[in-house]
Amino acid sequence: MIATRAVPGAHTLSEILSQPRCWTECLRALEEQNQLDRVLKQFGAQTDWLFVGCGSSFYIAQVAAASWTALTGLRARAVPASDVLLFPDLILSDARPCQPVLISRSGHTSEVLKAAEYLESRRNIRTLAITCVAGQPLENIATDTLQLLPADEKSMVMTRSFSSMVIGLQALAAALGHQLSFTEALKKLSIFAQTAFGPLPARVRQFAESHDFADYVFLAQGPFYGLANEAMLKVKEMSCAYAQCFHTLEFRHGPKAIVSPDVLITFFISESGYAAEREVLEEVKGLGGITLVVANVADAATRRAADFLVELNLDVPEYARLAAYIFTGQLLGLMTGLKKGLDPDSPRNLTRTVILKD
Ligand code: F1P
């Protein structure tokens, strides 16, 4: 029998492309299984929220915390699970209790499990988990768990599980903040994104194949910063390339020394901070940088300064667009890895879940 050879990156590509459909399925699962109401009955009175994860799930935490405050008006922070274990007194205070949300695609990452055990058993704090795999240890430790099972992946790196958990947590925030129109916008996003994403895989492949960069920089502000971190991680994981992330306006304060035609500088431009972020884009272009811009709507100045422009044109509020911004970063990591002859489905040195020996 002839063994069929796996096509490099095939799982990752199909998982990236499946995102709009997957978001619809996840929102349906939350609604039909009454998951949001159930969770809010238990945790809905909390005023301070703490989002916890590792790797991509930590970056979900950053996007979720920003969205949480915007949609509910409540305080929310993001921390890596390791900080809960190593510096708990910087995070937890008896005087000001917080509600932890533990984020993990696998529900099996050691640091997340240890953080959950520490919070539940040692600090007597009830935890909420969100995961994409049923029956994993996290579910047994946490008080309650949101499950987004359609978002699990075959590949090692997180793509649709990232964007789906962002959307799942935004749906929870919208329910808590009684933002019915935002919930509707999340549903519409799937439809609009399908159109916006259509030509992108071919465009990003062509761009990756025709350029060689020594370094990749991702810039964003506010709720977009977690997305820039995640794009940086995608490029590192899938293409084993050097990649960095900064707040857009922070780039002027030293990092801009690295601008050169060997560095791709990607801007995730927000609507709220558009003018200030575009000024940095123009400055970087003036210094001779190669620029990739993801914006919802681009003006003439942005068009002039962008070597590669992704205009999303999504007719939903700014926070409901966040998940769609990651698509280009995922494709850039995938296409760059394929160009280098790597298999982005199983990057070197990585495992799907980091399980530590005791
Ligand atoms: C988190 C994570 C991934 C990363 C790697 C190891 O996993 O750090 O983000 O890509 O493969 O695991 P999880 O806790 O969300 O399952």
Side-chain angles (χ1 to χ4, degrees):
M1 203 171 73
I2 304 167
T4 46
R5 228 176 127 252
V7 179
H11 288 309
T12 310
L13 178 61
S14 87
E15 286 154 5
I16 291 173
L17 299 180
S18 74
Q19 285 175 107
R21 181 173 38 81
C22 185
W23 301 339
T24 304
E25 287 172 17
C26 287
L27 287 172
R28 199 178 298 137
L30 290 176
E31 208 170 286
E32 286 176 0
Q33 296 154 17
N34 213 23
Q35 295 197 60
L36 301 181
D37 288 349
R38 188 194 72 221
V39 160
L40 290 180
K41 266 194 197 118
Q42 288 201 75
F43 301 102
Q46 301 293 349
T47 54
D48 278 47
W49 290 73
L50 180 71
F51 294 88
V52 181
C54 294
S56 291
S57 292
F58 171 46
Y59 300 142
I60 295 171
Q62 293 180 331
V63 183
S67 303
W68 203 266
T69 300
L71 290 165
T72 67
L74 299 172
R75 249 169 61 106
R77 283 173 298 157
V79 293
S82 48
D83 263 3
V84 174
L85 299 168
L86 302 179
F87 292 94
D89 295 341
L90 291 181
I91 296 165
L92 306 167
S93 133
D94 292 335
R96 192 154 184 174
C98 66
Q99 177 53 57
V101 180
L102 300 156
I103 304 165
S104 175
R105 165 181 68 172
S106 63
H108 207 143
T109 294
S110 296
E111 286 142 85
V112 177
L113 297 183
K114 283 186 181 161
E117 265 159 13
Y118 173 77
L119 292 162
E120 291 271 355
S121 310
R122 299 266 303 278
R123 304 291 292 237
N124 211 12
I125 300 172
R126 294 180 316 150
T127 61
L128 170 64
I130 179 166
T131 181
C132 304
V133 187
Q136 295 304 303
L138 181 59
E139 206 182 314
N140 296 331
I141 304 167
T143 300
D144 201 353
T145 302
L146 284 173
Q147 289 189 339
L148 298 181
L149 305 186
D152 192 19
E153 290 130 342
K154 287 203 175 75
S155 18
M156 219 173 265
V157 303
M158 294 171 63
T159 54
R160 71 180 180 201
S161 59
F162 175 90
S163 56
S164 299
M165 286 198 276
V166 164
I167 286 179
L169 289 169
Q170 288 184 323
L172 183 63
L176 179 60
H178 306 290
Q179 305 265 3
L180 284 184
S181 62
F182 190 86
T183 309
E184 288 312 307
L186 286 180
K187 289 180 187 164
K188 282 189 203 145
L189 175 72
S190 308
I191 302 159
F192 296 154
Q194 202 71 264
T195 313
F197 293 170
L200 276 177
R203 283 186 67 207
V204 176
R205 173 178 280 128
Q206 204 271 330
F207 182 76
E209 282 173 359
S210 55
H211 290 84
D212 280 313
F213 295 108
D215 187 0
Y216 295 78
V217 171
F218 294 89
L219 303 178
Q221 293 278 152
F224 293 84
Y225 183 66
L227 299 159
N229 268 322
E230 172 64 3
M232 167 203 63
L233 186 64
K234 291 310 92 172
V235 166
K236 274 194 181 120
E237 288 180 324
M238 290 196 255
S239 73
C240 300
Y242 190 56
Q244 311 177 62
C245 175
F246 304 95
H247 285 91
T248 310
L249 273 64
E250 280 296 297
F251 194 63
R252 287 197 181 107
H253 297 269
K256 73 174 180 185
I258 64 170
V259 173
S260 87
D262 282 343
V263 183
L264 177 65
I265 303 172
T266 297
F267 291 76
F268 290 162
I269 299 194
S270 67
E271 185 181 326
S272 312
Y274 191 91
E277 293 167 36
R278 191 203 50 215
E279 278 174 20
V280 182
L281 167 69
E282 290 178 298
E283 192 177 328
V284 165
K285 192 68 221 148
L287 293 171
I290 308 294
T291 57
L292 189 162
V293 175
V294 184
N296 197 45
V297 179
D299 63 4
T302 298
R303 288 175 188 283
R304 275 195 301 275
D307 292 297
F308 188 107
L309 175 65
V310 177
E311 215 175 349
L312 293 169
N313 283 310
L314 299 166
D315 187 15
V316 292
E318 182 164 36
Y319 279 82
R321 291 176 212 141
L322 293 176
Y325 272 69
I326 198 54
F327 195 75
T328 307
Q330 294 169 338
L331 286 172
L332 186 65
L334 172 71
M335 300 306 182
T336 307
L338 290 174
K339 179 203 166 173
K340 287 173 140 183
L342 302 171
D343 181 4
D345 281 351
S346 49
R348 69 175 190 216
N349 304 342
L350 298 189
T351 49
R352 226 176 100 84
T353 311
V354 175
I355 300 179
L356 306 171
K357 290 195 196 90
D358 267 341

